[in-house]
Amino acid sequence: MEAGDEMVIRLPGHSNSPGHGFGETVVLRPKEVHHFFFVPFREQPIYSTRAHVFQIDPSTKKNWVPTSKHAVTVSYFYDSTRNVYRIISLDGTKAIINSTITPNMNFTKTSQKFGQWADSRANTVYGLGFSTERHLTKFADKFAEYKEAARLAKEKSSEKMELASSPSQESAPGDIQSPLTPESINGDDAAMSPQEVPTPTLESLPEPAPIPQSFTHSPTITKHWEAELAALKGNNAKLTAALLESTANVKQWKQQLAAYQDEAERLHKRVTELECMSGQTNVIKSQKTELNQTIEELEAALKDKEEEIERLKEEVDRSKELLEQRDSLAQKLQETDLRNKELEGQLCALEQRLDNSQVEQETFRKDLKTLLEILDGKIFELTELRDNLAKLIESN
């Protein structure tokens, strides 16, 4: 099947489309084929929850193998046509659970959040891990409920089969049971594969009921039976046409089945290749471990660098403050230098005035000394004059 091809499937049953007396045409793309066969349109989800899905290891029958990387939706589906309950879970487009509930199944709680059940048809054991015990209990209750419903449906189906095997003798002559029902063509999906679908033959059609010989051949009764015979012939012609069309459909289904088998073989080869590639898991794990260690080291180095950057930012802020302080101090120093120059000028002027004052003082001292000497001379002269006057007075 090419990637761009589309698949046309005609389902058995009555068609409402004009020009189609039998079958319902469905066009599927390759990505939709898997979903079509695992989740048919006639099924509806009746309960859904989320859980981690596991399957028993087919080799050891002891260990659990996870089939989903994370919690996925697990749903109960009900097929109203066949009265069948199924548990289905999809991981993307891959069906990781496709289990039909039968009366013989049992759901077992193995822990507070884990439960399991065995599916003999799939030849495996499914396990579900829930987030809470309440979800596990709810799922187990639904399992028991649908298991009982499946048992009742099976009993009713058995009763219908018994009634069909012993038909009533009171059926009207014109009532004809058509064997071309969806059940007779499809069969039970769980019990019959597409290869085992029986091909109806013309000999399997029921013969018209014989006309009773005890009735009188009046014109009214004759016309009545002629009409009944014409109706039976018409029904027989319709059934024959439907049978031929169903035979053609069965051939088409066989061709599609062969295509599906080829596709399944190709997928099987692909799975084998992937299993061979999975032998490199240990190397990938070791590389992943080394990468994780390298990432941790780089994160630690990055953290150190970020701390160093923060420290450098703080130092830059401090340096800016110091620069501002330096500029302020430089301005103050310049002002101080100007003030010192002014004070030096004033000091020079004061020194010069002091020198002048000292010179003047020295001159004053000299003049004062000279004046004192003159004064001493004058005082001496006055003393002599006083002495002479005293002598003069004494002599007089």
Side-chain angles (χ1 to χ4, degrees), residues 224-270:
H224 171 74
W225 287 117
E226 287 177 355
E228 289 289 340
L229 181 59
L232 289 175
K233 288 181 179 180
N235 290 335
N236 193 13
K238 291 179 182 179
L239 291 174
T240 303
L243 179 59
L244 293 175
E245 187 172 357
S246 66
T247 304
N249 290 333
V250 169
K251 291 181 180 179
Q252 185 179 2
W253 294 340
K254 288 182 178 180
Q255 293 175 358
Q256 292 174 357
L257 177 60
Y260 297 156
Q261 289 176 345
D262 295 339
E263 183 71 12
E265 185 177 356
R266 186 185 67 80
L267 292 176
H268 181 70
K269 291 181 180 178
R270 179 59 179 167

Side-chain angles (χ1 to χ4, degrees), residues 128-273:
L128 296 179
F130 296 88
S131 58
T132 62
E133 184 178 1
R134 180 175 61 84
H135 291 157
L136 172 60
T137 303
K138 183 70 172 177
F139 188 88
D141 294 341
K142 292 293 182 182
F143 192 97
E145 177 185 347
Y146 301 144
K147 172 187 171 182
E148 179 65 19
R151 185 186 65 80
L152 295 176
K154 185 176 181 181
E155 291 179 356
K156 290 181 180 179
S157 178
S158 300
E159 292 176 359
K160 289 181 179 180
M161 291 179 64
E162 291 176 358
L163 292 175
S165 62
S166 58
S168 174
Q169 300 297 328
E170 298 178 358
S171 299
D175 294 338
I176 295 179
Q177 298 291 333
S178 172
L180 297 178
T181 60
E183 289 77 6
S184 63
I185 293 177
N186 286 340
D188 190 353
D189 290 345
M192 185 178 296
S193 64
Q195 292 177 330
E196 299 171 341
V197 175
T199 303
T201 60
L202 293 174
E203 289 77 7
S204 63
L205 292 175
E207 295 293 334
I211 298 175
Q213 298 296 328
S214 58
F215 290 163
T216 59
H217 296 279
S218 65
T220 304
I221 295 176
T222 301
K223 290 181 180 180
H224 171 74
W225 287 117
E226 287 177 355
E228 289 289 340
L229 181 59
L232 289 175
K233 288 181 179 180
N235 290 335
N236 193 13
K238 291 179 182 179
L239 291 174
T240 303
L243 179 59
L244 293 175
E245 187 172 357
S246 66
T247 304
N249 290 333
V250 169
K251 291 181 180 179
Q252 185 179 2
W253 294 340
K254 288 182 178 180
Q255 293 175 358
Q256 292 174 357
L257 177 60
Y260 297 156
Q261 289 176 345
D262 295 339
E263 183 71 12
E265 185 177 356
R266 186 185 67 80
L267 292 176
H268 181 70
K269 291 181 180 178
R270 179 59 179 167
V271 169
T272 305
E273 293 175 359

